[in-house]
Amino acid sequence: MKAKITLKDIARELEVSISTVSKALKNSEEISRDTKEKVQAFAKLYNYKPNNIAISLKNKRTKNIGVVIPDIVHHFFTTVIRGIEKYANARGYNVIVCLSEESFDKEVINMEMLANGSIDGFIMSLSSETQEKGDYNHLKEVTEQGIPVVLFDRITNEIDCDKVIIDDELGAYMATKKFIEQGKKNIALITTDDYLSVSKARTMGYIRALEESDLGVDERKVLKLPSMEMDEKSIKKFMDSQELDAVLCVNEIFAVYSMRLAQQKGLKIPEDISFIGFTDGLLSKYANPSLTVVSQHGEKMGEVSAKMLIDKVESEEEEETYQTKILEPTLVIRDSIFH
Amino acid sequence: MKAKITLKDIARELEVSISTVSKALKNSEEISRDTKEKVQAFAKLYNYKPNNIAISLKNKRTKNIGVVIPDIVHHFFTTVIRGIEKYANARGYNVIVCLSEESFDKEVINMEMLANGSIDGFIMSLSSETQEKGDYNHLKEVTEQGIPVVLFDRITNEIDCDKVIIDDELGAYMATKKFIEQGKKNIALITTDDYLSVSKARTMGYIRALEESDLGVDERKVLKLPSMEMDEKSIKKFMDSQELDAVLCVNEIFAVYSMRLAQQKGLKIPEDISFIGFTDGLLSKYANPSLTVVSQHGEKMGEVSAKMLIDKVESEEEEETYQTKILEPTLVIRDSIFH
DNA sequence: ATGTATCACGAAAACGGTTTCGTGTTAATA
DNA sequence: TATTAACACGAAACCGTTTTCGTGATACAT
């Protein structure tokens, strides 16, 4: 086991000072060609690599970014992480992932763990419990300390920071309008309670599209589940209780599950009933029939978030100007609606 | 913006030494009750939290663990990360996630980035390119430096370290045997080239089950794709070229896709043809029909890996004994085979 | 009064780097 | 020959902790 070599080791071995070694490795003008070559050769031979922790302590920069998200098993968050990771890595940053599991307490603990020097900034999406409580003091604390934060997807207006979202209202509007154009009359929405910022926006888009048409909104056609968790019973009950010819779902799982319920009733998709979901995951692609979705461009979102965060981290200025980037959703047409 | 407060700040403010503050906050016996109370009150008031980086430098422990995996969008890896994160978090560790994207070079770069003090140990699954090349020098370097490594799922015997796998051979054996028991005669296998350790083991299990029966192995019934990437054309060609009544797939995507192909040909599942896949993801659960799978227990795998790693990191002893934990796969029966 | 514990605290080194500033040596200039 | 500038390097501070060791003050026993 050959332990890591330090500047001190090189200095001792070569009988020069630590400062000389440090400068020589940085190709400083101050050091003679001779010494530099000697030091560099020695360093290469023993595979010297500077200790990241020491550098972090000195620079007060860790080159780590903290990502706090509710869940990682959901396809959307996974793609966001991938976007963040790719971009951050390209700029020399590492990504520390923490899961809040939709819990307020875990979110707070995770942030506190990271906020004490472990990271240069946060990228996060709020847990449902946090959005439900409306308590954002942990975010305030962090931003007040001067740690940059980028909020994506599940955001709040109570915190001044950079934000990245897709236009959820528009996405739902587009989807609903599509149904209407295709002659659907009884268009349902399966979503969650309004405390989730995204669900609220999507519900608004759905309502706007219906109000613009002759159809109007029928409250019985809207199912609001308490959370993003699967709730087979409620969906089944909802689907059985009325005649529908189109269903917009706030995620792909709800959509695929309700498609199956429709199929079990002998309905044909998309002739008798059409479906659109949110999130362009594997499920949508390989469902039978394949599911038309509003794509949230998770990877792009991650990339944009990471760029905003790192730019802020590396900017010298203390300007406190924050922006909200709104990405355009796109409809990915598949076999669950008419082409 | 109130910046973080340090020991030095407290010491200056209270006109004591830094050492006194440090000890007082740790409730040291050395410090008088009076002073301790004063210091602790002040620290609480100004929300003092020790700087993680400084502590890491001192202790030579970061409380970070590095996870290097080929991909994060695959459900299996996602669940493993979740298992790691949950366990690690409970023991006060953070998880730094790096994606190799199946690339050898990225794997090497990621490991080098982290190996210079950023983490206390690695948990990783090899990229396909690495397994194909058979070049494990980056792993050797790391282990020689005394950094603990736990390899999971995609492992190699060339490196001495702790390992966690499921018994892939057994999983494939169980699945194939199930087909045989249900009277299937023409059992196909859709897998990848043998350089992937898991694929090789699964192929062996498939072969063993067939050889134990009267059926025997027919090489034309085995499709070896170059990678885990979806290759619709090859699968379609394979499925069209022969009469099959059962298909075992090395992942759930291949399985769901080939199920669809069968359905398009008018075959009934499971009567005419049955399917079993590996990986118990959303896709399997919500496919139509739902897919029977060999569950790899990703979350458990992550948990076990994290436990092994952290135990090793925190153990004082220098004992160089490594173990390989083999988890039992289980068959999750769903509608793609007879119940 | 002297010696010795005990107490309460501070100085300083250490972790592994970076960086500023000072200094001895050499060479060029007046 | 004396002065000065350039060169090449080292000392030391610093980042924020922890921890060992030393020490002055008080209290106690002799």
Side-chain angles (χ1 to χ4, degrees), chain B residues 16-17 19-20 23 30 32 35 58 60:
Chain B
V16 291
S17 77
S19 357
T20 302
K23 290 169 191 162
E30 262 184 89
S32 69
T35 311
K58 187 95 247 273
K60 298 178 154 233

Side-chain angles (χ1 to χ4, degrees), chain B residues 22-268:
Chain B
S22 176
K23 290 169 191 162
L25 290 174
K26 293 196 129 47
N27 242 317
S28 160
E29 297 291 319
E30 262 184 89
I31 307 299
S32 69
R33 169 178 296 270
D34 260 20
T35 311
K36 280 198 277 196
E37 279 173 3
K38 211 168 49 178
V39 171
Q40 287 171 6
F42 191 93
K44 186 164 293 170
L45 181 61
Y46 286 91
N47 193 29
Y48 167 80
K49 294 277 166 52
N51 180 308
N52 289 334
I53 300 293
I55 292 178
S56 293
L57 182 58
K58 187 95 247 273
N59 297 350
K60 298 178 154 233
R61 285 279 170 80
T62 62
K63 290 245 171 189
N64 286 156
I65 78 188
V67 175
V68 183
I69 52 173
D71 196 349
I72 197 176
V73 176
H74 280 37
H75 185 268
F76 169 66
F77 287 121
T78 309
T79 54
V80 174
I81 292 194
R82 188 207 246 169
I84 294 174
E85 209 274 343
K86 280 190 187 177
Y87 184 86
N89 237 262
R91 288 186 66 171
Y93 283 73
N94 284 122
V95 175
I96 299 184
V97 174
C98 288
L99 306 178
S100 65
E101 298 176 62
E102 304 288 9
S103 145
F104 173 80
D105 289 343
K106 284 212 174 189
E107 192 173 288
V108 173
I109 291 173
N110 280 327
M111 291 194 69
E112 282 180 354
M113 260 187 99
L114 296 181
N116 301 119
S118 298
I119 50 98
D120 296 339
F122 283 104
I123 295 179
M124 56 185 302
S125 194
L126 300 169
S127 80
S128 58
E129 214 187 339
T130 304
Q131 289 204 327
E132 197 172 0
K133 284 180 84 159
D135 183 346
Y136 305 109
N137 284 309
H138 50 309
L139 288 171
K140 286 216 180 82
E141 287 221 348
V142 159
T143 50
E144 275 175 8
Q145 279 172 33
I147 302 178
V149 172
V150 175
L151 242 34
F152 75 90
D153 198 55
R154 301 212 210 143
I155 67 171
T156 174
N157 291 325
E158 309 227 346
I159 297 292
D160 278 334
C161 65
D162 290 323
K163 288 156 196 167
V164 185
I165 49 174
I166 65 153
D167 193 335
D168 282 291
E169 200 269 351
L170 177 60
Y173 175 83
M174 284 160 51
T176 311
K177 193 139 190 191
K178 194 83 183 175
F179 283 146
I180 297 170
E181 285 167 11
Q182 297 190 345
K184 300 294 182 179
K185 304 288 180 198
N186 295 300
I187 305 171
L189 171 67
I190 300 180
T191 180
T192 70
D193 277 344
D194 281 346
Y195 63 80
L196 274 180
S197 53
V198 293
S199 298
K200 188 174 179 184
R202 290 170 195 176
T203 304
M204 284 169 61
Y206 164 84
I207 290 175
R208 180 161 66 95
L210 287 176
E211 284 179 343
E212 278 183 9
S213 74
D214 309 330
L215 299 170
V217 180
D218 176 0
E219 293 225 342
R220 286 172 319 170
K221 295 209 180 74
V222 177
L223 173 62
K224 293 196 180 182
L225 297 170
S227 82
M228 285 282 181
E229 284 310 290
M230 190 55 186
D231 178 352
E232 304 194 348
K233 271 186 208 153
S234 301
I235 294 182
K236 184 157 170 45
K237 195 175 152 200
F238 176 78
M239 294 282 293
D240 285 345
S241 70
Q242 53 198 312
E243 296 271 308
L244 301 168
D245 57 13
V247 183
L248 174 62
C249 295
V250 88
N251 65 35
E252 56 177 2
I253 301 181
F254 293 174
V256 170
Y257 182 70
S258 46
M259 276 209 300
R260 191 194 290 182
L261 291 176
Q263 285 172 322
Q264 284 170 0
K265 285 205 288 183
L267 298 174
K268 275 190 189 155

Side-chain angles (χ1 to χ4, degrees), chain A residues 51-85:
Chain A
N51 180 310
N52 290 333
I53 300 292
I55 293 178
S56 293
L57 182 57
K58 183 96 248 266
N59 297 350
K60 297 176 156 233
R61 285 279 171 81
T62 61
K63 289 244 170 191
N64 286 155
I65 78 188
V67 176
V68 183
I69 52 175
D71 196 349
I72 198 176
V73 176
H74 280 36
H75 185 268
F76 169 67
F77 287 121
T78 308
T79 54
V80 174
I81 292 194
R82 187 206 248 168
I84 294 173
E85 209 275 344

